[in-house]
Amino acid sequence: MVPDCTFGGGSDQTPFGPGTYGFNWWFNAKVGTTSSVAWPSAPADTFQANGHWNKEVMTVIPSLKLVVAARGNWDSGQNTFAPEDTSWKMNQNLKLLADAAAGN
């Protein structure tokens, strides 16, 4: 079950609505009332904590037995959450990470 609230706040801390952000984690779940997920190119079970505008990232992909903690510019300075957007650098980077872990 994906939590739908954040510690110390409600589930509406992002304009994209509940189900995507909970307890300081971003989930690859349906965004708001859309049928799209946050990172369409990443495995469905991907979840992530990030800070300082995507410069400190911890990504977990259980299906690939993968945990990555990294610092750097994961979104090429975009500094915004852009769910559903396959051209978003975070989505592209998560795809590269998943492909590498899967041996593709």
Side-chain angles (χ1 to χ4, degrees):
M1 179 176 137
V2 176
D4 67 352
C5 62
T6 59
F7 184 73
S11 61
D12 61 350
Q13 292 190 15
T14 170
F16 301 103
T20 304
Y21 182 73
F23 294 105
N24 298 315
W25 290 90
W26 292 98
F27 301 95
N28 202 16
K30 288 184 181 177
V31 178
T33 58
T34 73
S35 61
S36 301
V37 297
W39 307 297
S41 301
D45 62 342
T46 301
F47 59 98
Q48 179 184 92
N50 59 52
H52 292 100
W53 299 276
N54 300 312
K55 291 188 170 103
E56 296 172 351
V57 177
M58 185 165 94
T59 299
V60 181
I61 306 176
S63 60
L64 296 175
K65 298 181 176 148
L66 183 69
V67 176
V68 175
R71 295 185 78 187
N73 198 351
W74 277 57
D75 75 348
S76 298
Q78 196 167 346
N79 294 336
T80 185
F81 182 61
E84 306 174 281
D85 183 354
T86 56
S87 68
W88 179 34
K89 295 296 182 189
M90 181 65 78
N91 182 64
Q92 292 176 353
N93 286 331
L94 290 176
K95 179 182 182 339
L96 290 171
L97 182 65
D99 286 350
N104 297 332

